[in-house]
Amino acid sequence: MGIELITLLIVVSLLALMALGVPLGITTLTVSLATAILYFGERAGFFVVAANVGEVLHKYELIAVPFFVFMANVLERSGIARSLFDSMAIMGGRFRGSVAVQTCVVAVVLAAMSGIMGGEIVMLGLIALPQMLRLGYDRKLSIGIICAAGALATLIPPSVVLIIYGLAAQVSITKLFAASAVPGLLLASLFITYILIRVRMNPALAPIYDIPETGLPFFKRLKFLKGVILPGALIAGVLGVIYSGVATVTEAAALGAVGAIVVAGMRKELTWTMARDAMRQTVLTVGSIIWLVLGAVSLIGIYNRIGGGEFLRGLLTALDIAPIWVIVVMMLIVMVLGTFLEWIAIIFITVPIFAPVVVDLGFDPIWFGVLFAMNIQIYYLSPPFGPACFFLKSVAPKGVELQEIFRAVLPFIGLQAIGLFLVLFFPELALWLPSMLD
């Protein structure tokens, strides 16, 4: 059976099983096992699949994922996000659009504390959205900034997306974290600039946040920064030990998990119920991630063994276009896959094929990793799947419909696309900081 036909059969099988409602992890494992048995026989096929699964479970860096997820769950339940938002909103003072701007700033801080997108959007949806709607902010502007800013956790370190990409591409996760910092702040700056321009053109979109504390002189408002101290110290500690070389990403993740427990204890929020709920949610989240990882790794491992990787790499390198446009084609493929696959499956299915092509074309796989994460961020917002939109809908006030959320995020998808193309054509935006670590 030719590789062209088997590629078509694999794609059709994946789509058919997903259409039947089979979970993605089970779908990819089933298709990989069937392919292995078809090519290698029953006994050898089972052995090949087991070997692929065992290999990924031995990756030390993968341990960072449950640590960062646990850290995010503890911080979510300790009330630190609410205190952070209140402090930043007061520090913003009385300028038009301040609450929306501060929501974006808080989202950046939360992203640096958690590394996972879902929990951040839920927190912002519970805390910031009702506040903006109560103050009379435009609904579409409020919804859009929460989804877009909340999705920054896919890019800003310690992003779990970047950790998984680093494992799949076999590149330095520390350098990926360093490379993603500037693009992440670039996107946040684009969001804030858009907000300020919109409210300047139409003041009715954002009333002034008028409470007594915001009218105090700046230096008197500094006392309200106490809500920023603990999360700031935790972020500085986790990222500081990574970039300084004192600890690996996995060790830093463990320190972050311990630090989150300390923060909860200092806030007198550390209870058995809170710890139990945080551990339970961590197990559920990481369990679903691991199933997706195992299925995707098994499938791409079998596909590479039968020559599929070389076949697809040959197709990409044979394109009669400039190398930079090959990268654009890869980005478009990821966007299409994002309409029906989870991001973990997209990474493990595409990155082992794309990464060697990126190197052969003379590009840096670290830079490509940042582009990949920015693309995943667009996928998080884009209909019809748009996980960020569904997360917000689950906690949004009554009357906020899913279609309204999809319409609200469209301008921010455009801003993300602008940021993606800036990094695509100006790689220095991503690569100058990692170069300082050499």
Side-chain angles (χ1 to χ4, degrees):
M1 186 179 297
I3 191 62
E4 298 87 353
L5 180 58
I6 195 65
T7 300
L8 178 62
L9 288 175
I10 287 175
V11 172
V12 171
S13 300
L14 288 172
L15 293 176
L17 288 173
M18 286 188 292
L20 291 173
V22 179
L24 184 58
I26 304 300
T27 293
T28 48
L29 274 173
T30 301
V31 173
S32 65
L33 184 58
T35 306
I37 292 174
L38 177 65
Y39 266 81
F40 306 110
E42 184 175 339
R43 185 172 181 179
F46 274 100
F47 176 80
V48 172
V49 171
N52 287 335
V53 169
E55 183 178 354
V56 71
L57 290 177
H58 280 87
K59 291 185 180 293
Y60 174 68
E61 296 87 348
L62 194 62
I63 302 173
V65 174
F67 280 133
F68 279 130
V69 173
F70 178 74
M71 181 177 77
N73 282 310
V74 171
L75 293 175
E76 177 185 350
R77 288 161 173 78
S78 66
I80 200 167
R82 185 177 297 275
S83 297
L84 179 64
F85 178 84
D86 291 342
S87 296
M88 296 302 295
I90 292 172
M91 289 304 300
R94 291 178 175 173
F95 73 88
R96 196 170 300 279
S98 64
V99 177
V101 170
Q102 297 307 325
T103 297
C104 190
V105 174
V106 169
V108 172
V109 179
L110 291 176
M113 287 194 300
S114 67
I116 54 175
M117 181 274 297
E120 182 175 346
I121 288 182
V122 168
M123 283 189 281
L124 292 174
L126 290 171
I127 299 169
L129 183 57
Q131 178 81 339
M132 284 193 281
L133 296 181
R134 181 183 66 81
L135 292 173
Y137 272 65
D138 179 73
R139 286 168 65 94
K140 289 175 66 177
L141 183 67
S142 304
I143 292 168
I145 190 59
I146 286 177
C147 283
L152 287 170
T154 64
L155 185 61
I156 292 177
S159 164
V160 172
V161 172
L162 291 174
I163 294 175
I164 301 298
Y165 172 88
L167 292 173
Q170 298 182 3
V171 296
S172 168
I173 296 174
T174 299
K175 288 189 175 182
L176 280 171
F177 281 0
S180 65
V182 172
L185 295 176
L186 171 65
L187 286 180
S189 300
L190 288 174
F191 297 158
I192 291 173
T193 302
Y194 172 76
I195 292 169
L196 295 178
I197 292 174
R198 287 289 312 277
V199 301
R200 180 65 180 267
M201 295 173 62
N202 185 0
L205 294 177
I208 294 174
Y209 187 39
D210 189 10
I211 63 172
E213 290 85 351
T214 59
L216 294 172
F218 176 76
F219 288 104
K220 288 189 176 181
R221 276 185 277 137
L222 289 177
K223 66 180 180 180
F224 293 101
L225 277 177
K226 61 183 180 180
V228 182
I229 295 175
L230 289 178
L234 183 61
I235 293 168
V238 172
L239 298 182
V241 297
I242 293 174
Y243 295 144
S244 64
V246 173
T248 65
V249 171
T250 304
E251 293 163 347
L255 290 173
V258 173
I261 294 174
V262 172
V263 167
M266 293 177 66
R267 291 176 55 85
K268 299 181 180 180
E269 298 283 350
L270 183 60
T271 64
W272 168 247
T273 301
M274 189 274 282
R276 181 196 61 196
D277 291 344
M279 287 187 286
R280 180 177 181 275
Q281 188 58 47
T282 299
V283 170
L284 292 175
T285 302
V286 175
S288 63
I289 289 175
I290 291 298
W291 270 111
L292 290 169
V293 168
L294 295 181
V297 167
S298 175
L299 178 60
I300 198 62
I302 298 298
Y303 189 64
N304 283 334
R305 282 176 180 265
I306 63 178
E310 290 297 327
F311 166 67
L312 293 180
R313 284 193 287 272
L315 289 179
L316 289 170
T317 54
L319 293 174
D320 189 20
I321 54 178
I324 191 66
W325 293 109
V326 177
I327 302 297
V328 173
V329 170
M330 293 179 184
M331 293 292 102
L332 292 175
I333 291 172
V334 172
M335 287 184 182
V336 172
L337 292 177
T339 61
F340 60 90
L341 286 180
E342 292 276 1
W343 64 268
I344 300 176
I346 295 172
I347 289 177
F348 278 108
I349 288 173
T350 61
V351 171
I353 295 169
F354 287 173
V357 176
V358 170
V359 175
D360 290 342
L361 293 173
F363 295 112
D364 193 318
I366 298 292
W367 164 74
F368 183 76
V370 175
L371 291 176
F372 199 99
M374 296 178 80
N375 204 336
I376 293 295
Q377 188 173 338
I378 293 174
Y379 138 79
Y380 266 124
L381 267 64
S382 301
F385 191 61
C389 301
F390 285 93
F391 278 121
L392 182 60
K393 179 65 177 74
S394 68
V395 296
K398 290 183 178 180
V400 177
E401 300 296 333
L402 188 60
Q403 294 303 319
E404 183 181 12
I405 297 175
F406 280 141
R407 288 193 297 270
V409 300
L410 291 178
F412 293 93
I413 293 175
L415 293 172
Q416 289 179 337
I418 291 172
L420 176 64
F421 278 98
L422 285 174
V423 177
L424 177 66
F425 292 104
F426 299 96
E428 296 80 10
L429 288 170
L431 294 179
W432 76 271
L433 192 54
S435 66
M436 298 174 65
L437 299 178
D438 291 331

